[in-house]
Amino acid sequence: MQKIVVVTGVSRGLGLELCRQYLAEGARVYGCCRSPEQSQKLLELKRSAGHQFELVPLDITQPGMIHNLQYVIEEPIDILINNAGIYGPFGLSYDEVTVDPWMEVLRVDTVAPMMVTQALVDKVARGHDKKIIMMSSKMGSMGDNQKGGSYLYRSAKAALNAVARSLAIDLAEKGISVGIVHPGWVQTDMGGVNALIDTETSIRGIRKVIDQLSLRNSGQFISYDGSVIPW
Ligand SMILES: NC(=O)c1ccc[n+]([C@@H]2O[C@H](COP(=O)([O-])OP(=O)(O)OC[C@H]3O[C@@H](n4cnc5c(N)ncnc54)[C@H](OP(=O)(O)O)[C@@H]3O)[C@@H](O)[C@H]2O)c1
């Protein structure tokens, strides 16, 4: 049976590679993105994939656009991947942090994935696989934080982990499992050129983690290589 996969933030980086690999696997993919027409790589992928790949305009900070998703995506969803995210202003020390940029990072990285999930959860419940993935980061781990800094991003991903953990518990009765995934340090616009792995390696690992996700291991914080990350 053909899988139906929905991914947010597909214009570049990990979101684009998620689409590429799931399409290659034969899935039907809904790729959500703020400005599809501005990403040449995305448009190329759309040209080669044809009707197997639907592009859906979505800014995850816009409630109206999130609400519309349930009408744009009519079929049951096997895997929903909340991938879109931002880091926020780079290199702020503790005395440089201000309210508005922090609120924006929390809005995109923590609140929006919950709102997208709310809008689509009934369709995931009707899917065969019934999986929801939150693209988190090791930067949200308390146990792993030895370097300090990154206040906005760390707090937003830590809060996302708390949200995802509750969802894993609350959605189990619908048969839905929730994966909280760290993609590694990846060469993307966010990860930078010095990052350790490429998008192909990261997403190959993440697809395996998603394949192995079930109600039994729902709500765990897992790296792309399958290892469990401390909270
Ligand atoms: N790269 C890493 O090393 C790394 C490590 C840990 C976790 N992550 C996480 O992995 C995810 C993907 O990161 P990446 O490295 O691929 O980052 P990226 O290259 O910067 O791509 C981010 C994606 O998110 C989209 N996005 C941002 N704000 C959005 C909004 N308001 N509405 C809709 N889409 C929005 C961007 O769309 P536009 O093109 O429209 O801006 C873009 O497609 C993020 O959640 C990130 O936190 C990445």
Side-chain angles (χ1 to χ4, degrees):
M1 210 174 65
Q2 190 179 36
K3 273 192 207 310
I4 311 292
V5 181
V6 176
V7 186
T8 65
V10 303
S11 61
R12 49 200 167 94
L14 292 164
L16 183 64
E17 184 63 20
L18 276 163
C19 295
R20 196 173 278 135
Q21 292 195 22
Y22 274 111
L23 286 167
E25 197 184 277
R28 181 162 158 68
V29 177
Y30 288 88
C32 307
C33 154
R34 285 196 276 207
S35 311
E37 68 291 346
Q38 281 177 20
S39 168
Q40 279 315 313
K41 287 182 180 163
L42 185 63
L43 294 178
E44 273 168 34
L45 191 59
K46 168 66 189 156
R47 266 193 294 278
S48 61
H51 293 305
Q52 199 190 336
F53 190 26
E54 297 291 340
L55 292 182
V56 179
L58 174 68
D59 181 328
I60 58 169
T61 64
Q62 299 302 312
M65 295 184 95
I66 291 177
H67 180 77
N68 280 343
L69 275 182
Q70 57 196 307
Y71 307 110
V72 176
I73 303 171
E74 291 180 334
E75 44 196 336
I77 296 168
D78 288 298
I79 307 172
L80 165 62
I81 307 176
N82 284 295
N83 164 76
I86 56 173
Y87 184 86
F90 194 75
L92 295 182
S93 64
Y94 69 91
D95 52 355
E96 291 169 330
V97 169
T98 53
V99 173
D100 288 348
W102 197 350
M103 288 301 158
E104 183 60 14
V105 177
L106 287 167
R107 191 180 170 108
V108 174
D109 289 358
T110 310
V111 179
M114 178 64 166
M115 296 302 130
V116 170
T117 299
Q118 257 183 17
L120 296 177
V121 68
D122 289 346
K123 291 191 161 62
V124 177
R126 286 198 283 116
H128 177 265
D129 291 16
K130 304 189 204 315
K131 295 179 181 181
I132 296 175
I133 308 302
M134 298 297 192
M135 199 66 99
S136 183
S137 170
K138 218 176 187 174
M139 299 280 281
S141 163
M142 312 290 161
D144 191 68
N145 184 355
Q146 305 299 329
K147 289 196 179 146
S150 301
Y151 292 90
L152 284 53
Y153 189 68
R154 282 190 194 281
S155 60
K157 292 295 189 184
L160 175 68
N161 290 355
V163 166
R165 181 75 188 183
S166 277
L167 281 172
I169 294 164
D170 296 342
L171 297 181
E173 64 182 20
K174 289 182 187 286
I176 296 175
S177 42
V178 178
I180 308 166
V181 176
H182 167 64
W185 184 20
V186 195
Q187 292 142 10
T188 63
D189 291 345
M190 186 187 291
V193 287
N194 294 325
L196 296 177
I197 56 172
D198 59 16
T199 55
E200 204 268 327
T201 308
S202 170
I203 298 305
R204 206 168 352 99
I206 286 175
R207 279 176 40 242
K208 201 163 161 194
V209 167
I210 295 174
D211 278 347
Q212 289 168 357
L213 176 65
S214 68
L215 287 173
R216 220 171 9 86
N217 62 1
S218 181
Q220 281 189 343
F221 188 13
I222 302 184
S223 178
Y224 77 102
D225 62 7
S227 58
V228 174
I229 298 173
W231 296 112

